[in-house]
Amino acid sequence: MTQLAVREDETMHIVVLTGGIGGARFLLGVRRAARALDAQVTAIVNIGDDLTMHGLRICPDLDSVLYTLGGGSDPGRGWGRDGETWAVMAELAAYSAEPAWFNLGDRDIATHLRRMELLAAGHRLSEVTEILCRRWQPGIRLLPASDDPVETHVLVDVPQPVEAPGIVEAPEAVGATGAVGATGAATQPSGTGDRLIHFQEWWIRYKADLPPRRFDFVGADEASPAPGVLEAIRRADAILLAPSNPVVSLGPILAIPGIRKELDQARAPITGVSPIIAGSPVRGMADRCLAALGIECSAAGVGAMLGGRGHGGILDRWLVDPVDGETLVEGAEVIARPLWMTDEVVTSKIVLDAMGIPNE
Amino acid sequence: MTQLAVREDETMHIVVLTGGIGGARFLLGVRRAARALDAQVTAIVNIGDDLTMHGLRICPDLDSVLYTLGGGSDPGRGWGRDGETWAVMAELAAYSAEPAWFNLGDRDIATHLRRMELLAAGHRLSEVTEILCRRWQPGIRLLPASDDPVETHVLVDVPQPVEAPGIVEAPEAVGATGAVGATGAATQPSGTGDRLIHFQEWWIRYKADLPPRRFDFVGADEASPAPGVLEAIRRADAILLAPSNPVVSLGPILAIPGIRKELDQARAPITGVSPIIAGSPVRGMADRCLAALGIECSAAGVGAMLGGRGHGGILDRWLVDPVDGETLVEGAEVIARPLWMTDEVVTSKIVLDAMGIPNE
């Protein structure tokens, strides 16, 4: 690669829409590819998983990127900090503090404390993220999709809601089904109740085992893109969708009207990387999310969900694994190449292929 | 001791004004003595040390009582939790979060998180304390002196204020001396500046090494006694002043006008226990606080500072160590008996003596 100085206006700009741990690992490859190209990277990160608990504002997807790209993530668990300890959480349990189902490591808590104090001081989430990046030096620009809260909630069926352990039914939620009254549980043991819970509660507490009926990106309609998001998309030479969960990682980003509109108008090609190989999610529980929307868990199903540009969707290109080589997406070019992100070098080649850049 | 049920209105009520670690250990003796007497104990605890850092509301004196009486304090250090770890603090340092001079253990942080979340939910400090007591079961009633913030600040001389490392001078503070201008430090290296700092900064960061010129109990004038405080004083059969730092542990409590007035009118005898033996504080740095006020560091000096009832003070009795047996306090009875709180049993005998109750 050239060592010549590249003029500012000749620098290649890459934008990645991402969320989850798979997205963070994909960014390792993007960063590596960008270094080879002298390109700049902006990651627009999902905030739908964000939540407040124990008074702390927690941004799991932003933190996964910080820790993974900053060299501070736990390699075994895949989430959270390396060398993590759990003293605070054990103490919170001794205080019977709820929720008790969300794992908060001591090192991780320091990040949340820092974020919370900066937010309380009046900084916006994008500014807080920039400050946290001073420590982690991720080597890319990290932007939350929005400074406004957008939280993913899941409408679930709760069997026998009144008797379900640990679940407090809001009266209006029970009433919404019209099937279970105040004494319904005792007299109608097979009755069901709707309950809208935070994505994290569904994901972590219930291990995605409660059948989801709907995902709500609460606040998305009114959310403004964070400062820099629209400019990054506008200026981009390549826009990539990480192989993240299309429903709950990419979904909340795409649900912000300003971002969706800017993507529709983007001059750069938009390339998606399938998170599904041979009908199974590479990581996580995308299958359960897709099922809730009636979408086939396949490269074709997710490709059709995201859609081709000019056909109501956003994809110009759709990268699928060779096992899914037959995939067709109307309005998008389908490219088959191995998609297993076995290490950073392999991932960077996926990224180069996604941008149509020849590599050995 | 009798196993007969004691009628509610015959129960003896003991009130203790307390702060600091010495105060917490004194309460161990009070609790033991009270059990022997079937008496109820209410501790009115100093809140002058309280402060907010890293977004956490920290109440060192309340926590010292909780941990000490709840069996969760570190026996070696004397403050904080047993089995403590320091992961969060190390991470906050990695984020360059300030202040870095205040030690916050992981287990301790869980208490502050719990407190903060309850405060944010609208609970008053007295209610939060009651909730925290559910875990720690201190065996006595614990009341903050006030639900309103009362924070002790210290006016200190800062040599070469503009150049002092880590100290940011507020312009008005510099201006207050009239001696140091914007370029004063360079041209007047021997100049001094006034700076009002939180007690904890003086105590922990500067190890009480900066000569204090004044202690301000910020908010005390407007603070209302916490619910239950006045009633406890009114109902008390015995009122004890723990051998706490008279300036910064008892001072903020006594500076709350409603509490002071109720003590003046109390029907129960008020007995102070000297924190000074043979001219030295039993624990801590009371000598430096007393010096700032021009008070002799002696049992007589502190006795005179607290004063006899009917002579502008609050003491009916003043317990001093036999080495200070010559002590006289106008308007108060001075009682000499060994005051070293070597263990809980010994301390309980000091307590019984303080109440004038014969014990073997």
Side-chain angles (χ1 to χ4, degrees), chain A residues 54-56 67 81 85 87-88 91-92 94-95 97-98 106-107 109-111 113-114 116-117 132 135-136, chain B residues 54-56 67 81 85 87-88 91-92 94-95 97-98 106-107 109-111 113-114 116-117 132 135-136:
Chain A
H54 308 299
L56 300 167
Y67 298 161
R81 289 296 316 282
T85 53
V88 176
E91 283 297 308
L92 287 173
Y95 280 117
E98 293 288 345
D106 298 329
R107 293 183 150 199
I109 283 172
T111 302
L113 279 171
R114 192 78 197 106
M116 186 188 61
E117 192 178 19
L132 297 180
R135 171 184 178 189
W136 291 107
Chain B
H54 309 299
L56 299 167
Y67 298 161
R81 289 297 316 281
T85 54
V88 175
E91 284 298 306
L92 288 172
Y95 280 117
E98 292 288 347
D106 299 329
R107 292 183 150 198
I109 283 173
T111 302
L113 279 171
R114 192 75 197 108
M116 187 186 62
E117 192 179 21
L132 297 179
R135 170 184 178 190
W136 291 107

Side-chain angles (χ1 to χ4, degrees), chain A:
Chain A
M1 55 177 279
T2 178
Q3 292 300 314
L4 295 175
V6 176
R7 282 194 310 173
E8 176 65 17
D9 58 359
E10 288 181 353
T11 302
M12 177 186 249
H13 289 85
I14 305 169
V15 163
V16 187
L17 273 57
T18 181
I21 293 158
R25 291 186 175 168
F26 183 72
L27 284 176
L28 285 172
V30 175
R31 181 176 63 181
R32 188 180 188 92
R35 282 177 180 160
L37 300 167
D38 255 346
Q40 293 183 350
V41 179
T42 299
I44 299 171
V45 182
N46 175 43
I47 55 170
D49 292 17
D50 296 7
L51 76 170
T52 301
M53 45 177 62
H54 308 299
L56 300 167
R57 187 67 185 163
I58 301 167
C59 303
D61 283 1
L62 283 165
D63 289 346
S64 283
V65 177
L66 282 175
Y67 298 161
T68 300
L69 269 65
S73 68
D74 183 272
R77 259 194 333 270
W79 56 270
R81 289 296 316 282
D82 54 352
E84 190 58 286
T85 53
W86 309 91
V88 176
M89 206 185 148
E91 283 297 308
L92 287 173
Y95 280 117
S96 305
E98 293 288 345
W101 46 260
F102 193 87
N103 286 314
L104 276 176
D106 298 329
R107 293 183 150 199
D108 196 33
I109 283 172
T111 302
H112 310 320
L113 279 171
R114 192 78 197 106
R115 174 185 294 119
M116 186 188 61
E117 192 178 19
L118 292 167
L119 287 171
H123 290 286
R124 294 177 294 187
L125 181 59
S126 54
E127 296 170 324
V128 172
T129 304
E130 192 181 338
I131 292 170
L132 297 180
C133 280
R134 287 183 203 154
R135 171 184 178 189
W136 291 107
Q137 298 288 324
I140 67 169
R141 188 172 183 211
L142 212 58
L143 295 177
S146 177
D147 282 336
D148 305 318
V150 176
E151 292 192 3
T152 303
H153 284 67
V154 190
L155 185 67
V156 290
D157 285 331
V158 181
Q160 304 184 46
V162 179
E163 292 187 335
I167 302 177
V168 178
E169 282 297 310
E172 63 272 29
V174 174
T177 67
V180 181
T183 57
T187 56
Q188 304 182 18
S190 62
T192 63
D194 290 353
R195 187 164 169 262
L196 201 57
I197 61 177
H198 192 285
F199 167 73
Q200 295 286 1
E201 184 170 1
W202 179 70
W203 191 254
I204 307 285
R205 181 178 185 184
Y206 294 112
K207 298 177 173 58
D209 257 349
L210 288 180
R213 293 179 49 183
R214 198 178 74 215
F215 295 93
D216 284 357
F217 306 126
V218 181
D221 286 347
E222 296 78 32
S224 299
V229 165
L230 299 186
E231 294 77 359
I233 294 172
R234 211 169 293 150
R235 192 183 195 185
D237 299 295
I239 299 172
L240 306 177
L241 307 185
S244 305
N245 185 316
V247 180
V248 296
S249 291
L250 300 182
I253 305 175
L254 299 173
I256 297 171
I259 294 180
R260 179 58 196 252
K261 188 177 166 207
E262 197 65 44
L263 287 170
D264 287 341
Q265 303 168 345
R267 66 172 176 83
I270 303 177
T271 306
V273 179
S274 175
I276 310 291
I277 299 178
S280 293
V282 173
R283 187 191 163 86
M285 298 176 276
D287 48 341
R288 303 194 185 191
C289 300
L290 291 167
L293 303 181
I295 295 168
E296 184 186 86
C297 183
S298 68
V302 175
M305 172 198 163
L306 295 169
R309 274 228 263 190
H311 292 73
I314 55 166
L315 294 176
D316 292 300
R317 285 195 290 244
W318 185 230
L319 245 62
V320 301
D321 193 80
V323 299
D324 301 309
E326 306 297 306
T327 300
L328 290 177
V329 176
E330 204 176 354
E333 178 189 4
V334 175
I335 299 164
R337 60 95 66 225
L339 290 188
W340 292 101
M341 302 188 290
T342 46
D343 64 31
E344 196 178 307
V345 174
V346 167
T347 307
S348 74
K349 292 177 183 295
I350 298 175
V351 171
L352 290 169
D353 283 344
M355 296 193 293
I357 294 173
N359 58 95
E360 82 280 28

Side-chain angles (χ1 to χ4, degrees), chain B residues 215-236:
Chain B
F215 295 93
D216 285 356
F217 306 126
V218 181
D221 285 348
E222 295 77 33
S224 299
V229 165
L230 300 186
E231 294 76 358
I233 294 172
R234 209 168 294 150
R235 192 183 196 184

Side-chain angles (χ1 to χ4, degrees), chain B residues 3 10 19 68 75 86 103 110 120 128 146 171 185 194 241 268 300 309 333-334 346 348:
Chain B
Q3 292 300 315
E10 287 179 354
T68 301
W86 309 90
N103 286 313
V128 172
S146 177
D194 290 353
L241 308 185
R309 274 226 265 191
E333 179 189 2
V334 175
V346 168
S348 73

